[in-house]
């Protein structure tokens, strides 16, 4: 339980009493045509991937929350972005409540030389930070992390919800007054929220999550809220000895290390916003040794997998209920788009029959409960991406064939039901 102070009630609450309390200072509603348009000013972070996730760069005066598990690389990416922005002449103050200046210097040495436009401050007292920022007037400030900040105005320990909310409120007011752009770092708690029950998400302009397997080198930056752009975009990075570097061709990256001539591996294509991603679906189907079959999936929805297996059993007569199935989207990526269905079914059948799928084949399409293969959106872009990556055969829903142009060297194999898919296999 957390104590949350309630503001004192106004004397009168009737409408008449309220309008009497504010004589003459009311604002009038205006039509949008009377609002002056000012193009928003944006600056580049020097990372094309980060810029795209933000909707085309950092909007001046905005507040951006970057969430993620500890050790995922939040401080690193912000230090690198700050370094790039400082190199293009933007004044930045990086405020760390977690690390000493010496520790930051050590990290800085790994990522390269840093311009003097980027300065550092180790401080956790918000009143003092506010005063410093008002005096220094940087264009951009980084708060690493919001959980370590505290205000003496609030009688709660740092990291508590009351403190975090107050801290963000103070910084938000400061941002509105001074026009300073803020990046806030927020650690994700065990239940997967930034700083507890999403207390911050509604206050800031954009929320980015940095995710990925700590033990693998890739990292995915995802936007879950953005007042200045789409939330469908992702950016992919790789953690290296000299900091994070962007992965500009994610399909190539996600497909690297793909096995050849083994049953159960199928390449499919999903869309992240307007960006096609080629992924490898892996399935392992083996005889169940327990009372009821085990189903497990990594990276995709287990319920969807169970449903697809039921469809296979019913429509193709394959006794799936006697088999365990493990599904994995290689590369640690998470995807739940229905267009993956056909790829998942193909991988399951390929593993079940121990028949490898052609290395140059890609499969996508939605599967319905009657075993029909249904059209998916943006088929042309998916086919194009597959052609770009050197695939030569594409299995896709028949209903997508209208208005679809096969890229050069690509053979399209339309299917309208799972029975036809078996023939392809
Ligand atoms: P960090 O940015 O400190 O994580 P966060 O701020 O999200 O807690 O990243 C820490 C990890 O990144 C750490 O395990 C070391 C690794 N790392 C590299 O592999 N290469 C590098 O160049 C840097 C700076 C860090
Ligand atoms: Mg950190």
């Amino acid at each position: 339980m957390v104590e949350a102070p309630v503001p004192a009630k106004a004397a009168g609450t009737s409408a008449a009493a309220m309008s009497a309390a504010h004589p003459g200072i009311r604002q009038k509603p205006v039509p949008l045509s009377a609002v002056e348009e000012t193009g928003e000013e944006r600056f580049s972070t020097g990372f094309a991937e980060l810029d795209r996730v933000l909707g085309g760069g950092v909007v001046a005066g905005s507040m951006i929350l970057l969430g993620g598990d500890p050790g995922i690389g939040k401080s690193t990416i912000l230090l690198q972005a700050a370094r790039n922005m400082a190199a293009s002449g933007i004044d930045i103050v990086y405020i760390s409540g977690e690390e000493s200046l010496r520790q930051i210097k050590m990290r800085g040495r790994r990522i390269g030389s840093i311009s003097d436009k980027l300065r550092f401050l180790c401080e956790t007292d918000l009143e003092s930070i506010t005063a410093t920022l008002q005096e220094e007037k940087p264009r951009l400030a980084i708060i690493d992390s919001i959980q370590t900040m505290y205000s003496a105005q609030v009688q709660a320990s740092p990291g508590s919800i009351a403190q975090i909310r107050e801290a963000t409120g103070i910084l938000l007011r400061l941002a509105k007054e001074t026009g300073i752009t803020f990046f806030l770092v927020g650690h994700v708690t065990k239940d997967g929220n930034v700083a507890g029950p999403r207390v911050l998400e509604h206050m800031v302009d954009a929320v980015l999550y940095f995710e990925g397997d700590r033990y693998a080198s890739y990292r995915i930056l995802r936007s879950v809220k953005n007042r200045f752009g789409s939330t469908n975009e992702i950016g992919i990075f790789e953690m290296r000895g000299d900091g994070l570097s962007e992965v500009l061709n994610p399909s190539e990256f996600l497909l690297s290390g793909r096995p050849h001539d083994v049953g159960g591996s199928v390449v499919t294509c999903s869309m992240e916003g307007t960006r096609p991603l080629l992924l490898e679906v892996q399935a392992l189907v083996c005889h169940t040794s327990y009372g009821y079959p085990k189903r497990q999936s990594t990276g995709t929805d287990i319920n969807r997998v169970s449903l697809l297996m039921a469809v296979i059993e019913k429509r193709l007569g394959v006794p799936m209920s006697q088999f365990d199935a493990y599904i994995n989207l290689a590369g640690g990526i998470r995807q739940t788009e229905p267009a993956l269905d056909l790829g998942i079914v193909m991988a399951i059948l390929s593993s079940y029959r121990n028949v490898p799928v052609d290395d140059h084949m890609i499969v996508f399409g939605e599967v319905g409960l009657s075993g029909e293969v249904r059209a998916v959106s943006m088929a042309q872009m998916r086919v194009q991406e597959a052609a770009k990556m050197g695939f030569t055969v594409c299995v896709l829903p028949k209903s997508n064939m209208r208005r679809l142009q096969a890229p050069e060297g690509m053979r399209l194999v339309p299917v309208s039901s799972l029975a036809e898919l078996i023939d392809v296999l």
Side-chain angles (χ1 to χ4, degrees):
M1 302 297 284
V2 178
E3 187 182 41
V6 176
K9 265 221 174 92
T13 45
S14 73
M18 279 166 84
S19 65
H22 298 281
I25 51 161
R26 277 170 296 142
Q27 299 223 4
K28 283 221 158 64
V30 293
L32 282 182
S33 58
V35 179
E36 207 180 314
E37 223 172 313
T38 52
E40 65 209 4
E41 188 199 348
R42 291 191 184 246
F43 25 86
S44 166
T45 60
F47 281 125
E49 294 284 293
L50 178 55
D51 286 352
R52 204 193 44 249
V53 172
L54 286 169
V58 183
V59 174
S62 66
M63 182 171 274
I64 300 156
L65 174 66
L66 176 65
D69 291 326
I72 202 80
K74 300 180 294 298
S75 305
T76 306
I77 195 174
L78 287 182
L79 184 61
Q80 287 182 271
R83 166 180 182 259
N84 296 343
M85 288 188 276
S88 62
I90 297 171
D91 267 313
I92 304 176
V93 176
Y94 187 116
I95 300 155
S96 179
E98 302 199 331
E99 289 161 307
S100 66
L101 289 173
R102 204 167 292 137
Q103 282 171 311
I104 297 174
K105 181 154 188 164
M106 271 162 60
R107 176 181 294 120
R109 205 175 294 134
R110 293 172 79 163
I111 69 168
S113 67
I114 292 177
S115 134
D116 288 348
K117 285 267 184 192
L118 172 56
R119 287 167 302 158
F120 295 87
L121 176 69
C122 289
E123 181 63 82
T124 54
D125 179 345
L126 266 169
E127 277 72 32
S128 136
I129 289 173
T130 310
T132 308
L133 289 179
Q134 268 165 342
E135 196 179 295
E136 298 285 337
K137 294 194 177 57
R139 294 278 301 284
L140 195 139
I142 295 170
I143 308 286
D144 187 1
S145 66
I146 191 73
Q147 272 104 342
T148 53
M149 300 298 152
Y150 76 93
S151 158
Q153 309 291 322
V154 179
Q155 311 274 312
S157 55
S160 66
I161 291 170
Q163 276 291 3
I164 290 171
R165 192 159 42 194
E166 177 68 14
T168 311
I170 290 176
L171 294 173
L172 215 50
R173 278 195 296 281
L174 186 63
K176 292 269 145 19
E177 276 168 28
T178 57
I180 298 175
T181 309
F182 276 96
F183 270 103
L184 310 182
V185 170
H187 293 298
V188 169
T189 53
K190 281 197 203 74
D191 50 1
N193 291 324
V194 175
R198 305 194 163 239
V199 278
L200 297 188
E201 292 193 359
H202 72 278
M203 300 173 83
V204 298
D205 297 308
V207 181
L208 311 182
Y209 277 93
F210 211 25
E211 53 187 46
D213 194 340
R214 255 184 92 174
Y215 304 102
S217 60
Y218 51 81
R219 302 281 187 270
I220 295 169
L221 190 66
R222 200 182 278 282
S223 124
V224 295
K225 164 177 173 176
N226 193 349
R227 285 188 183 146
F228 309 107
S230 141
T231 52
N232 288 322
E233 302 293 353
I234 65 168
I236 301 184
F237 293 84
E238 188 182 358
M239 182 64 94
R240 299 210 296 219
D242 56 350
L244 289 152
S245 73
E246 356 181 37
V247 176
L248 293 172
N249 191 342
S251 292
E252 185 181 339
F253 179 74
L254 289 168
L255 293 180
S256 58
R258 192 155 55 98
H260 297 286
D261 287 330
V262 192
S265 160
V266 171
V267 177
T268 182
C269 183
S270 94
M271 302 294 298
E272 273 286 356
T274 55
R275 203 171 182 212
L277 282 182
L278 298 189
L279 318 164
E280 183 198 348
V281 183
Q282 300 183 321
L284 184 67
V285 176
C286 43
H287 240 287
T288 183
S289 42
Y290 299 102
Y292 71 88
K294 196 169 164 60
R295 273 104 178 74
Q296 201 167 313
S297 87
T298 315
T300 191
D301 181 13
I302 180 70
N303 296 318
R304 189 87 195 160
V305 171
S306 303
L307 182 147
L308 291 171
M309 295 188 72
V311 174
I312 296 174
E313 168 136 14
K314 184 84 178 171
R315 304 296 164 198
L316 297 177
V318 179
M320 281 289 135
S321 48
Q322 294 163 27
F323 289 86
D324 291 341
Y326 304 89
I327 307 293
N328 177 33
L329 293 193
I333 195 145
R334 276 194 294 116
Q335 276 297 324
T336 50
E337 212 202 338
L340 299 183
D341 290 354
L342 204 61
I344 295 174
V345 169
M346 187 73 141
I348 291 172
L349 292 172
S350 156
S351 172
Y352 170 73
R353 294 195 160 187
N354 228 345
V355 178
V357 170
D358 184 349
D359 266 355
H360 296 98
M361 178 187 277
I362 139 161
V363 182
F364 64 82
E366 183 179 343
V367 174
L369 291 185
S370 332
E372 82 276 20
V373 177
R374 314 176 68 113
V376 300
S377 59
M378 296 185 259
Q380 186 74 50
M381 287 180 74
R382 299 180 204 250
V383 175
Q384 226 96 41
E385 174 78 0
K388 202 175 88 194
M389 299 300 298
F391 288 81
T392 53
V393 187
C394 177
V395 179
L396 74 172
K398 195 172 235 159
S399 32
N400 270 128
M401 288 300 282
R402 269 186 305 137
R403 292 177 306 168
L404 193 68
Q405 280 178 353
E408 212 180 285
M410 174 69 81
R411 190 159 64 87
L412 301 180
V413 183
V415 293
S416 58
S417 68
L418 291 194
E420 289 175 28
L421 186 72
I422 284 269
D423 293 341
V424 175
L425 183 64

